[in-house]
């Protein structure tokens, strides 16, 4: 029986894999040979310590080399269900395979709800989900902020202070945010379009020129993937040791909440690998 | 006023600095131009994602290049006290400078060495961690200096010039310091005892009369560095957002507990920078 199945081959899952390997544990790293679409699409990575490469693509290439060097292979697959059995877990994949292991590290990223046309296409090319992560890129620029919940009004406000002009699409009632450079549009945005980067956003029968689009929303609850998994504001609830409410199941990276950053995912991935190792040692 | 002072130039503090810089915040990174002795000494680093260099020295060299590229300079200095004032913090350095900022990120590593019996009890009553702060109190007196690293030999020398008699306990190899009034003892000190103030220090089966004991080590016990800081098993107690019990003061890396790993420190450093950014935006 495998010691662990790591679900997700983003940088958080890779961090777990590297440390489990160093700790001599057996595992499957379930994901994609391309590792992570999100990483590949990142335009510029300048706050990940000791990475001088620049683009997400270069980061991805380093990670691939490192996995090869450490003799870790990614198993292509997508988990559709995780089930807690007695003393073990079963993972069902989209490819209809069943894998079993004594522990699970969930590292499959944040699930988004209904997407706007163009949202996925322009992610990392003008579309962002994180004000504090990417806001600084839009100093003196024009942005649209699609705000799905009042809880994110302070993030929208933060963005409006950086950008020259903010078109605010509040998709909730009782919007309070105002500002000289904020134009509120009480309509549903329908489409994001552009070339290499975002250029326009459409709503009703109108269009606006923008340099970026921030979409501030909660993630989809991951309890659809794992029955009985406790979540909080759409993210898997973990403690500082990356433990979830299910004994033997750990979670790392974007799925556990903001900031959606490589560094944070890497840190949690490392902590989870140590936690899994301790768990296995205790429960022989 | 500075937005933040990052205390410690290890990889956790650097992670915070890179992200605060990206977020456009003003800060001082207080530490050493060499960044971190611990990193430099690591023989092999193979589980830090996207780092293929091998040795800790190479990791350190990448970090230095990255700091230069991002125009972040390390301010040489060592904090000896952090004080929470109204709406800001003051940091006193060993170099007798006072720095002020609205927030603090504590990233100064885990306290080195096991505490000696009586160390905590007599702190401020004969036990001191700071030669330049308290040295002058021991003019013409007898002191013990417990020196945990060669890096502090100059501090021990400074003390020996003030005191009448210095018993030096060097807890490292290759001690070079000599002096007429210095008596070197190559034993582990075991206990500090006294009444209102320190009176004696014990080692092996012997005891010495002393007026004071200086303990010169890399990292201070966190509750000594920051009055009122909550700790747990010798580590700073933080939540998942790296918040301590003191509003505006965050902690990252080894100081917050195991695993003592670069990846974990990097993750917490990133989270703290985002938490600081949010804190500043909320408390304008």
């Amino acid at each position: 029986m495998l010691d662990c199945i790591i679900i997700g081959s983003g940088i958080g899952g890779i961090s777990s894999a590297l440390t489990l390997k160093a700790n001599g544990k057996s595992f499957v790293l379930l994901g994609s040979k391309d590792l992570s679409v999100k990483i590949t699409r990142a335009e510029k990575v300048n706050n990940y310590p000791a990475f001088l490469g620049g683009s997400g693509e270069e980061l991805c290439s380093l990670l691939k080399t490192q996995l090869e060097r450490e003799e870790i292979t990614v198993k292509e697959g997508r988990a559709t269900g995780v089930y807690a059995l007695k003393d073990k877990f079963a993972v069902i994949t989209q490819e209809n395979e069943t894998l079993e292991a004594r522990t699970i590290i969930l590292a499959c990223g944040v699930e988004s709800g209904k997407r706007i046309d163009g949202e996925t296409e322009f992610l990392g090319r003008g579309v962002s989900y994180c004000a504090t992560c990417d806001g600084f890129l839009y100093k003196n620029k024009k942005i649209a902020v699609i705000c799905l919940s009042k809880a994110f009004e302070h993030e929208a406000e933060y963005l409006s202070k950086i950008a020259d002009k903010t078109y605010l699409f509040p998709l909730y009632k009782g919007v309070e945010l105002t500002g000289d450079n904020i134009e509120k549009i009480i309509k549903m945005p329908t489409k994001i379009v552009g070339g290499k980067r975002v250029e326009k956003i459409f709503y009703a029968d109108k269009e606006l020129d923008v340099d970026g689009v921030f979409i501030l929303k909660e993630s989809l609850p991951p309890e659809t993937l794992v029955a009985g998994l406790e979540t909080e504001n759409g993210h898997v609830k973990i403690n500082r040791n990356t433990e979830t409410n299910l004994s033997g199941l750990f979670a790392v990276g974007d799925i556990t909440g903001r900031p959606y950053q490589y560094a944070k995912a890497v840190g949690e991935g490392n902590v989870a690998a140590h936690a899994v190792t301790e768990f296995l040692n205790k429960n022989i």
Side-chain angles (χ1 to χ4, degrees), chain A:
Chain A
M1 163 113 50
L2 286 170
D3 288 327
C4 185
I5 297 167
I6 303 166
I7 301 176
S9 59
I11 200 164
I14 290 170
S15 180
S16 291
L18 290 168
T19 296
L20 282 182
K21 181 83 182 188
N23 288 356
K25 300 301 171 192
S26 63
F27 60 90
V28 156
L29 176 58
L30 194 66
S32 153
K33 299 276 183 219
D34 297 330
L35 303 187
S36 158
V37 171
K38 265 189 214 167
I39 297 177
T40 318
R41 288 200 185 150
E43 281 176 71
K44 193 162 163 44
V45 181
N46 58 2
N47 71 337
Y48 180 64
F51 173 66
L52 302 173
S55 72
E57 219 158 324
E58 284 168 276
L59 182 62
C60 214
S61 147
L62 284 179
L63 293 171
K64 283 180 187 169
T65 306
Q66 192 172 20
L67 290 179
E68 269 172 40
R69 191 184 281 186
E70 300 297 328
E71 296 174 352
I72 296 168
T73 52
V74 178
K75 182 179 172 64
E76 288 269 357
R78 189 165 167 269
T80 54
V82 178
Y83 303 92
L85 311 174
K86 191 179 177 304
D87 298 333
K88 65 180 179 185
F89 291 88
V91 175
I92 315 295
T93 72
Q94 195 169 274
E95 295 73 21
N96 266 325
E97 206 179 340
T98 304
L99 302 166
E100 288 189 351
R102 293 179 56 208
T103 65
I104 298 284
I105 297 177
L106 267 194
C108 42
V110 71
E111 292 263 353
S112 30
K114 198 181 148 195
R115 296 195 166 191
I116 296 162
D117 205 4
E119 176 177 336
T120 307
E121 189 189 340
F122 288 102
L123 186 61
R125 299 191 291 131
V127 169
S128 170
Y129 296 120
C130 181
T132 53
C133 312
D134 299 325
F136 67 96
L137 293 169
Y138 296 91
K139 200 168 160 65
N140 305 326
K141 299 203 171 179
K142 274 184 294 195
I143 57 170
V145 177
I146 303 167
C147 195
L148 278 84
S149 150
K150 199 172 176 60
F152 300 120
E153 233 176 63
H154 67 280
E155 288 197 46
E157 186 178 14
Y158 167 69
L159 288 168
S160 73
K161 284 176 180 164
I162 296 170
D164 215 16
K165 174 81 184 182
T166 298
Y167 299 106
L168 179 66
F169 293 86
L171 305 188
Y172 57 92
K173 301 233 184 259
V175 55
E176 284 179 80
L177 182 58
T178 56
D180 285 342
N181 63 345
I182 299 175
E183 186 175 327
K184 267 174 273 186
I185 299 167
I186 313 297
K187 295 275 179 196
M188 194 68 180
T190 52
K191 196 163 58 170
I192 298 161
V193 298
K196 276 197 168 176
R197 291 183 53 86
V198 165
E199 290 169 5
K200 286 172 196 294
I201 188 163
F202 286 74
Y203 67 95
D205 56 350
K206 299 200 177 61
E207 60 180 77
L208 294 166
D209 289 340
V210 290
D211 301 298
V213 177
F214 282 84
I215 304 171
L216 308 176
K217 61 176 172 184
E218 295 295 353
S219 56
L220 267 197
E223 65 264 24
T224 48
L225 181 60
V226 188
L229 186 60
E230 201 180 328
T231 60
E232 199 168 42
N233 304 320
H235 296 113
V236 179
K237 195 175 168 184
I238 60 167
N239 62 15
R240 279 196 61 213
N241 210 25
T242 72
E243 292 164 320
T244 67
N245 66 311
L246 302 175
S247 173
L249 192 139
F250 305 80
V252 309
D254 291 358
I255 202 170
T256 75
R258 290 163 192 269
Y260 299 151
Q261 294 261 292
Y262 303 132
K264 181 244 184 198
V266 158
E268 289 181 347
N270 181 281
V271 170
H274 286 279
V276 160
T277 304
E278 259 182 44
F279 179 91
L280 293 168
N281 293 344
K282 264 186 213 157
N283 302 277
I284 290 169

